[in-house]
Structure formats: C-alpha cells, structure tokens
Amino acid sequence: MLGYSLCWPPGPGEGGQCPVLLHTTDGGAHWTRVPAPPIRSSPSHAQVRILFAARFGDFLHHRSIGLATNGLELYATYDGGRTWRAEQLAGDRQPAFVGDLAAAHQTAYAVVASGSGQDRRTEVYRTPSGERAWSAVRGVSVADSGGAAYASGALGVRRSSVAVSLGPVFSPTRYWTSPEGADWTARSTPCRQEAATELGPAAPSEVYALCSSNPGRGRMDKVVRLAGEGGTFTTVGTAPATGITTGFAVSPGGTLAVGATGGDESFVHMSFDGGRTWQTTMAVPERGPVYDLAFTDDLHGTLVAGYADLHTSQLFRTDDGGHTWKPFTAG
C-alpha cells in the first residue's frame, strides 16, 4: 500500500506545494518516505494520481513499477521509487494527455490521448511491470475529434485479465477485454453512449460497470451493470443518486464502492450484495470530491477526499470492508 500527500516546505518565503511519497509494507502500521517525482497538480488537472505494482510471482528479481500523473505529465519509476523519469508515451504526437492507470499481474497500462485535429486519437499503452518497454496496444484505440484537454477512458484489471472502455467526446464509445493482455476482443459497450463509464472487475471473468449520467445539482444517475463469462452486461442495481460520481472500486470479493461529491460534501456509497442494495457509509461536509478509491483486499481500502489546489485533501481508510471510513495520518 502506498500513500501520496502534499506538504508545505518549511522556512520563510518558501511557498508552493511539496510532494511527499510514503511507503508501507505492513498495512499502514509503519511508513517510510521515498523519493517523490517532481510533479504538481495543474490548473486544468487538479488531481495527482499514483500507481505502484509489483510483478506477480517475481520472487527472484522483485520487479515493480510506479507511475505518477497529473493528466499532463507522466513520471515512472522502475526501481521502487529511488529514481523517476518523465515518459513521453505518444512520442512527438502533441498535445498529449494521460488518463486512467492500472496494473495487472504482469503488465501496467495507461490511457493516453494525443495529436490534434483529424489526427487525434485515444489509445492504451502498456509495459511489463519493472521494465521500460512501453508500446501501444494494437487495435485498442479510437479516433478523437472532440479536442478535449484530457484522456477519456477506463481501465479495469483483475489478476491478468483486462477490460478497457474508451469514450472520447463526440466519438462512439468502444469496449474491449483480454484474458491475459495479449489477445483482445471487441465487445458491446457496458453503458449508453451518453453515460460516463467506470470499470471494476470482480473476478477474471466478471466485470462491473458503473454508468453515470444526467448530472444535476449535487446528484447523478448511477446504474450498476455486470458482465459474466459471455461478456454481455445486464443491470444489477442502482446506486444512490446523491453526488456527482468521482470514483468507483470493487474489492476482490465483490464489494462495490462509489465515490461522489455534492455541495462540497464527500460521499461513499457501498453495496455488499453485488449492487442490489446500497448504504452511504461516508458523508464528510466541506471536503470535496472522492478520488483514488481503491481496495487492497476485502477489508482494507483507501481514498483521498478534497481539493489538492485548495489544500483540503485528506486520506481516509477502511479496515472493515467499507462499513466505516476514518481519517488516516501516517505516524
């Protein structure tokens, strides 16, 4: 488990934000500081996202990868955070924007939108964890003539299986799955065209999709759908409309969590029966959107609530599978 927080540099006249990267190997009981990448939130992308993953079963070499992005830049480490380097996955294709990040057992993935005008496209890049060998996934891309200043898409991974939804502005949404990241199959999309898609695999052959649409003042429709072995999605339930969707996560055992915000209040809606019934287990006023919602196992999960640029961000943690969420500070 890794945490990312922002601090203020000490000393008179030293303004600005200082990134701090903390590492724990015992479930959060003890934390150590490791070098952080030189990255900040930007006016157009207020969230800095961190992903770390070790290559599954690599007991000899202990290879791992760490990624950090603010949507405009991507930094990567292949040595556990000791050194970081800026990555230009799209090469000379500019402008480039980095979207969702994910890691399966052996491979890390990133959604990238690059180019301009008729040459703009959104695609998925991958590299073996612990290696700097990025390449675009052949056939998993969409033309993107909308020109939005972000990369629109969702990645869902469980063990070695991968699901990808790419839906740029003004372009038809496309959806693919792969059991091991090698052979990819185009399938029917999880959500209607006008809905934003978030993915959360619960097992190698099961994928949940959160379809969010019709945003209003502090509310948004949230339909939960599930695809099994055949890859066809069916609706299993509806999450509370309270809040604009800002996050979605599924635990290994199939517990569902939706992060949302409305009126600067932070919400987490939980389902413990596969999306059929829901409880709101976190409601924190005057905080902001819920980001980085994730589970490390069926009991432990983390999220960051707040605005980084307003210095309201706070780390929350659950030790009981999402029934309660408590503020967390590394000792």
Side-chain angles (χ1 to χ4, degrees), residues 21 31 45 117 124 151 163 176 197 211 285 299 302 306:
L21 187 62
W31 294 77
H45 296 74
V124 175
W176 298 262
T197 303
C211 306
L299 292 178
T302 54

Side-chain angles (χ1 to χ4, degrees), residues 26-327:
D26 56 10
H30 302 88
W31 294 77
T32 57
R33 186 167 174 170
V34 297
I39 194 169
R40 305 290 189 275
S41 60
S42 69
S44 60
H45 296 74
Q47 180 190 10
V48 174
R49 287 170 290 124
I50 288 283
L51 170 73
F52 268 78
R55 185 180 294 193
F56 181 79
D58 185 18
F59 303 111
L60 179 61
H61 301 290
H62 303 287
R63 284 170 290 193
S64 66
I65 189 169
L67 302 173
T69 183
N70 60 4
L72 302 176
E73 304 171 284
L74 177 66
Y75 282 85
T77 177
Y78 306 96
D79 56 11
R82 290 188 293 274
T83 60
W84 292 84
R85 62 183 303 157
E87 297 286 8
Q88 301 287 340
L89 302 189
D92 295 332
R93 292 175 54 82
Q94 297 295 324
F97 305 97
V98 182
D100 205 8
L101 307 173
H105 269 178
Q106 305 288 329
T107 308
Y109 297 88
V111 175
V112 177
S114 62
S116 59
Q118 298 300 315
D119 188 45
R120 181 181 168 95
R121 63 177 179 263
T122 299
E123 53 198 334
V124 175
Y125 286 79
R126 66 184 174 191
T127 187
S129 295
E131 300 180 30
R132 188 170 182 259
W134 290 95
S135 63
V137 177
R138 181 175 298 180
V140 181
S141 67
V142 294
D144 178 5
S145 58
Y150 56 87
S152 180
L155 293 164
V157 300
R158 180 69 71 203
R159 299 178 185 171
S160 295
S161 64
V162 191
V164 178
S165 175
L166 300 181
V169 179
F170 305 125
S171 298
T173 300
R174 299 283 308 279
Y175 177 70
W176 298 262
T177 63
S178 175
E180 295 181 351
D183 299 319
W184 295 78
T185 302
R187 300 186 182 275
S188 299
T189 57
C191 305
R192 300 194 309 269
Q193 181 64 35
E194 68 272 17
T197 303
E198 298 284 345
L199 300 175
S205 60
E206 289 188 339
V207 179
Y208 281 96
L210 177 67
C211 306
S212 302
S213 61
N214 300 322
R217 191 166 184 174
R219 52 94 54 210
M220 196 172 198
D221 293 341
K222 306 176 184 70
V223 176
V224 180
R225 312 195 76 206
L226 173 64
E229 192 78 36
T232 300
F233 282 88
T234 58
T235 299
V236 295
T238 302
T242 304
I244 302 296
T245 302
T246 57
F248 179 55
V250 180
S251 76
T255 295
L256 311 183
V258 174
T261 185
D264 285 336
E265 191 164 359
S266 304
F267 302 102
V268 177
H269 308 302
M270 300 291 307
S271 175
F272 304 100
D273 58 6
R276 288 178 286 277
T277 63
W278 292 81
Q279 306 171 30
T280 300
T281 62
M282 175 175 148
V284 180
E286 303 299 326
R287 183 61 58 182
V290 172
Y291 291 131
D292 300 321
L293 180 59
F295 287 94
T296 54
D297 56 37
D298 286 335
L299 292 178
H300 300 93
T302 54
L303 63 86
V304 176
Y307 298 97
D309 53 343
L310 298 180
H311 318 302
T312 65
S313 293
Q314 186 172 18
L315 178 66
F316 288 79
R317 183 181 179 193
T318 179
D319 295 314
D320 57 11
H323 289 275
T324 60
W325 297 86
K326 299 176 182 179

